[in-house]
Amino acid sequence: MTTHDVPGSLMVDGFRVRRSFGYGGLSRNATMFAAVALLVDGFVATSMPISLLVTLPLTAVVIGLAAARRHGMSALAYYWARFAWRRASRAEATNYRRLLLPHPYALDLPGVGASSTLIKAYDPSSGRSVGVVHDRTSGHMTVTTLLSPGGSLMAPTSTVQGNLRSWSSLLDSMSTDEQIKGASVTIQITPGAGEALGDDVAARMDPGAPALAKQVISELVRTTPHATASVAPWMSVTVDPLAASDPPETLADQVAETLRLVDGLDLSGTGTDIERRATDIDLRRLVRSAYDPSVFNARDAEFEDLEWAECGPQAADDYLEEYAHDGAVSLSWVLREMPRRSIPYSVLLPLLAPGRYQRRITLAYRVLDPEEGEAVLEREISHAENAARATTEFKGRAKWSQRVDLKKAQQAAAQMSGGRQVVDWTLMVTGTARRAADLPAMRQELERAVKATKGIRMRPAFAAQAAVFAAGIPVGYNPLVK
């Protein structure tokens, strides 16, 4: 077995995009809109027939845009996003400047993090302080756990299988608890210039070691100056403490309920080790260093006195395909489509490999409860059957892609009846460079990493760069949580 071969037992599949049934390549909602628009055109034409010269071409253009595809989405949605962004840009709603204004929330974090606030709590189980991000609008609370993942590429097949089963059990436990709304796992890779490696080797070198050993180690440090990287993984769990049968009334009780629920999630056996619950200082560091990468290696003392709003940017500009913030610029991409074949468990390895620029890879999860999952799969099977039937009536036979899609939907339903869970999930990648001039090189590096996965398709987060950027840092925002 070569280094690229993966046993069949470590291949995963079952990925499927939700599809609604419509005619002519339209979704269900677009089909209903088209029918209503045509009815309105006909109703208006009964009293003013000449209006059809305007209404019919306009309706045809809208329906054509809804049926066409751009970057994996309907062309109508794509151009609407561009239009909405341009409108917001003219109103200067895409620009953020932190100013001291006479308003109680003038210094909040920008965008989707504006409703969040940081609470410093005491965890009696560990005897340490814990940082809890509270969403003042929804009442949700998010607890972040710092992780220390172990490598699995050299692990035995049975060990990796056990890790996958443990992770599946963890997701299963999340689906049966209505208070747990979602979770996300983020891995941040910050490239180093080699100084950290040299300092660490110098501190560990034994003065009495043989001269040849010292020479080999020194040569290794000298010839690999850019091979170091700081890896910071964490998992954020979003909880609704008010969804309990006996909702806690005070904020302190809500925090206690949140910590109890998060402590009940068992990560043992998933291939990662829990380093500790993130403290308020840890959260300030992660958020502040995301907006300003130059402070990533600063001492803890520099973050102790920061207010939560001060962890955000001093200034930020949300462009259509990039996000500028505090002397840095970021590109965020989102998942477009997973491969339609089985993929190895290590498929994300090219994205996790260190590069020239800081990178964050975020997997966001929302596990559907059994009843919702069953209803979703029943709708998907019905939509797939209707699409295949409509194509058969029009062309004489269904497309092979439609037959395969129907088979996948039926297979997912059979797997769920056997005890598996339905999970809504997405993949987000954010790269950050120190200079705007590095944007082309960073975009090319991301493109190469995505292509190296051999099947995963991603696209820029058009008109949503700031939101996807925030989804990768612990500010309590999960795009899949309603």
Side-chain angles (χ1 to χ4, degrees):
M1 184 175 67
T2 66
T3 56
H4 298 285
D5 293 331
V6 176
S9 58
L10 298 182
M11 304 291 285
V12 294
D13 57 6
F15 307 106
R16 186 179 180 276
V17 179
R18 288 194 189 186
R19 295 180 176 89
S20 59
F21 170 68
Y23 287 95
L26 299 175
S27 64
R28 182 186 63 179
N29 292 337
T31 301
M32 295 175 61
F33 172 81
V36 171
L38 291 175
L39 287 175
V40 171
D41 291 345
F43 179 77
V44 174
T46 57
S47 58
M48 191 182 301
I50 198 173
S51 65
L52 291 176
L53 297 177
V54 177
T55 58
L56 280 182
L58 181 61
T59 302
V61 169
V62 174
I63 294 176
L65 289 175
R69 309 295 293 178
R70 285 294 304 272
H71 302 286
M73 62 179 119
S74 70
L76 182 62
Y78 170 74
Y79 288 115
W80 178 258
R82 294 182 66 99
F83 170 77
W85 176 82
R86 291 185 181 277
R87 182 180 178 184
S89 179
R90 292 193 189 98
E92 298 185 351
T94 59
N95 304 328
Y96 172 82
R97 300 294 183 269
R98 182 153 61 88
L99 302 173
L100 184 59
L101 299 175
H103 190 279
Y105 301 123
L107 296 180
D108 283 337
L109 294 178
V112 295
S115 60
S116 67
T117 184
L118 180 62
I119 299 174
K120 181 179 180 180
Y122 174 77
D123 186 4
S125 61
S126 62
R128 299 178 179 177
S129 62
V130 177
V132 179
V133 178
H134 179 218
D135 191 316
R136 297 186 296 257
T137 301
S138 63
H140 294 170
M141 294 188 174
T142 302
V143 177
T144 299
T145 303
L146 303 182
L147 306 176
S148 178
S152 59
L153 294 179
M154 300 296 292
T157 300
S158 58
T159 301
V160 180
Q161 288 177 330
N163 294 340
L164 294 176
R165 284 194 297 267
S166 298
W167 183 252
S168 177
S169 299
L170 175 64
L171 294 179
D172 183 52
S173 64
M174 292 170 57
S175 69
T176 56
D177 195 331
E178 61 180 9
Q179 291 183 262
I180 299 179
K181 298 302 179 180
S184 63
V185 177
T186 300
I187 300 180
Q188 178 174 282
I189 302 101
T190 304
E195 290 85 353
L197 176 62
D199 294 343
D200 184 65
V201 171
R204 294 170 178 266
M205 187 176 295
D206 187 354
L212 179 61
K214 292 181 180 180
Q215 181 181 355
V216 170
I217 292 298
S218 299
E219 183 69 13
L220 178 63
V221 172
R222 186 184 67 81
T223 56
T224 58
H226 299 286
T228 61
S230 173
V231 181
W234 62 84
M235 178 178 181
S236 298
V237 180
T238 301
V239 173
D240 184 5
L242 300 178
S245 56
D246 185 15
E249 297 181 358
T250 65
L251 184 62
D253 291 338
Q254 295 174 18
V255 172
E257 177 70 8
T258 299
L259 293 177
R260 183 190 67 81
L261 290 169
V262 175
D263 288 340
L265 297 177
D266 186 11
L267 289 174
S268 61
T270 59
T272 185
D273 296 325
I274 295 179
E275 185 175 333
R276 67 175 185 276
R277 302 290 181 211
T279 64
D280 56 316
I281 296 178
D282 293 327
L283 296 180
R284 292 190 185 100
R285 175 190 294 276
L286 292 175
V287 174
R288 183 64 196 138
S289 62
Y291 288 105
D292 185 6
S294 63
V295 303
F296 179 78
N297 294 315
R299 294 181 174 87
D300 288 347
E302 299 185 25
F303 299 96
E304 289 180 354
D305 297 330
L306 281 182
E307 297 291 338
W308 183 237
E310 294 175 332
C311 298
Q314 299 285 340
D317 296 303
D318 188 9
Y319 298 106
L320 184 67
E321 296 186 37
E322 59 198 51
Y323 185 48
H325 48 87
D326 283 3
V329 62
S330 295
L331 298 175
S332 294
W333 288 15
V334 295
L335 180 65
R336 174 178 172 178
E337 186 180 9
M338 287 295 292
R340 301 182 182 181
R341 53 177 173 79
S342 299
I343 57 176
Y345 74 100
S346 56
V347 67
L348 294 181
L349 191 59
L351 285 173
L352 300 175
R356 295 172 54 190
Y357 307 98
Q358 185 186 74
R359 189 184 304 168
R360 277 190 308 279
I361 298 90
T362 301
L363 281 167
Y365 298 92
R366 186 177 76 90
V367 186
L368 279 61
D369 63 75
E371 293 183 0
E372 182 183 1
E374 182 178 359
V376 167
L377 291 179
E378 288 296 332
R379 287 197 302 268
E380 292 300 304
I381 292 176
S382 177
H383 293 160
E385 287 179 342
N386 291 334
R389 185 183 303 110
T391 305
T392 301
E393 294 175 354
F394 183 73
K395 294 185 176 181
R397 68 174 181 87
K399 297 179 181 179
W400 282 107
S401 59
Q402 292 176 331
R403 297 179 184 179
V404 173
D405 186 60
L406 174 58
K407 184 178 180 180
K408 281 190 173 182
Q410 293 172 339
Q411 180 183 2
Q415 291 174 342
M416 183 179 180
S417 64
R420 298 192 183 183
Q421 299 297 331
V422 180
V423 179
D424 273 347
W425 70 280
T426 189
L427 173 66
M428 298 166 284
V429 178
T430 298
T432 300
R434 302 293 181 89
R435 302 180 305 162
D438 292 333
L439 272 176
M442 183 171 64
R443 182 179 286 107
Q444 185 181 51
E445 182 178 277
L446 287 177
E447 290 176 351
R448 288 177 177 174
V450 172
K451 290 180 180 178
T453 61
K454 298 180 180 179
I456 295 179
R457 303 179 66 185
M458 304 191 73
R459 63 169 176 81
F462 298 109
Q465 290 288 315
V468 177
F469 181 95
I473 56 179
V475 295
Y477 172 66
N478 188 322
L480 300 181
V481 175
K482 299 178 181 179

